[in-house]
Amino acid sequence: DADVTQTPRNRITKTGKRIMLECSQTKGHDRMYWYRQDPGLGLRLIYYSFDVKDINKGEISDGYSVSRQAQAKFSLSLESAIPNQTALYFCATSDGIGELFFGEGSRLTVL
Amino acid sequence: DAKTTQPPSMDCAEGRAANLPCNHSTISGNEYVYWYRQIHSQGPQYIIHGLKNNETNEMASLIITEDRKSSTLILPHATLRDTAVYYCIVRVPVSYGQNFVFGPGTRLSVLP
């Protein structure tokens, strides 16, 4: 089983719909992140959390919200999806010392 | 976070060494250099990181200049599976203020 699991892996939805992307990890890490990737670009940070009671905005948090339900779970929500939120979304975890561990990504298409 | 500059793309012949450069002229004394790669649309994968000494692991070597303003990731014997986008990042480990900032990276194509 993957250390960082994202669901769903692919989702097609319509403008205005509420969407939730879920992330769970078995690494035991305190830090979790949500990134967005658009074609040909690097990853941009949406939100991050350093523990269950800590939520921080990244560089592109507008239009998104998150919930850290437990140490192992970090969900990303789009309250009212719009087409320019079509992207590949990655969840990641870290122990804060070294590397990031990424999930396999969730591809979201908003029509 | 210090900004990094990488060439947008590079080619390398299979079996040869791939040398990927990164400029980070504004790096501060306590910032490390990290390298990640992303194969197709998979999640990025950690490769290596270092502070000022050269580092080597089973995947690659990292050469950091003495003034720390630039570094080179070396894949000693590139294979077709090394075709990916490579990201160079600088940041302070165990930091509550800094995060990993991914630029566009270098797209490495390993050619048969």
Side-chain angles (χ1 to χ4, degrees), chain A residues 9-76:
Chain A
R9 295 291 310 282
N10 289 284
R11 181 73 182 268
I12 300 174
T13 191
K14 295 182 178 180
T15 297
K17 295 292 188 181
R18 183 178 188 275
I19 295 297
M20 178 180 288
L21 305 179
E22 299 187 359
C23 177
S24 62
Q25 52 117 344
T26 59
K27 302 290 291 183
H29 290 162
D30 288 327
R31 301 185 179 195
M32 299 188 73
Y33 307 78
W34 275 104
Y35 285 88
R36 164 180 173 159
Q37 187 172 36
D38 295 283
L41 301 179
L43 285 75
R44 291 184 291 169
L45 184 62
I46 307 173
Y47 270 96
Y48 60 102
S49 168
F50 287 162
D51 64 43
V52 174
K53 297 180 180 179
D54 177 74
I55 300 291
N56 303 282
K57 293 183 177 180
E59 61 180 301
I60 55 164
S61 59
D62 287 349
Y64 301 94
S65 63
V66 290
S67 173
R68 185 79 184 268
Q69 303 95 319
Q71 185 202 36
K73 296 184 183 298
F74 193 38
S75 300
L76 176 71

Side-chain angles (χ1 to χ4, degrees), chain B residues 9-92:
Chain B
S9 64
M10 294 181 62
D11 292 340
C12 176
E14 188 178 18
R16 305 297 293 270
N19 298 287
L20 293 96
C22 180
N23 287 318
H24 32 78
S25 59
T26 60
I27 192 170
S28 59
N30 59 350
E31 288 183 316
Y32 282 62
V33 180
Y34 290 79
W35 282 84
Y36 284 75
R37 73 179 183 184
Q38 185 177 22
I39 297 173
H40 193 46
S41 295
Q42 299 176 19
Q45 174 191 24
Y46 166 82
I47 301 173
I48 198 168
H49 74 282
L51 182 62
K52 54 183 178 181
N53 296 321
N54 298 338
E55 302 287 344
T56 296
N57 63 20
E58 64 278 6
M59 291 182 67
S61 295
L62 173 60
I63 307 299
I64 302 174
T65 58
E66 191 169 345
D67 63 8
R68 303 210 323 121
K69 292 185 177 181
S70 66
S71 59
T72 301
L73 178 74
I74 301 173
L75 308 179
H77 305 286
T79 71
L80 299 179
R81 290 177 294 180
D82 291 321
T83 293
V85 177
Y86 287 77
Y87 300 101
C88 170
I89 300 162
V90 295
R91 60 155 278 165
V92 179

Side-chain angles (χ1 to χ4, degrees), chain A residues 74-104:
Chain A
F74 193 38
S75 300
L76 176 71
S77 294
L78 288 68
E79 296 300 326
S80 180
I82 56 177
N84 75 2
Q85 291 177 313
T86 292
L88 184 57
Y89 291 85
F90 288 102
C91 174
T93 74
S94 169
D95 61 3
I97 296 174
E99 60 205 85
L100 286 170
F101 293 87
F102 283 85
E104 288 301 309

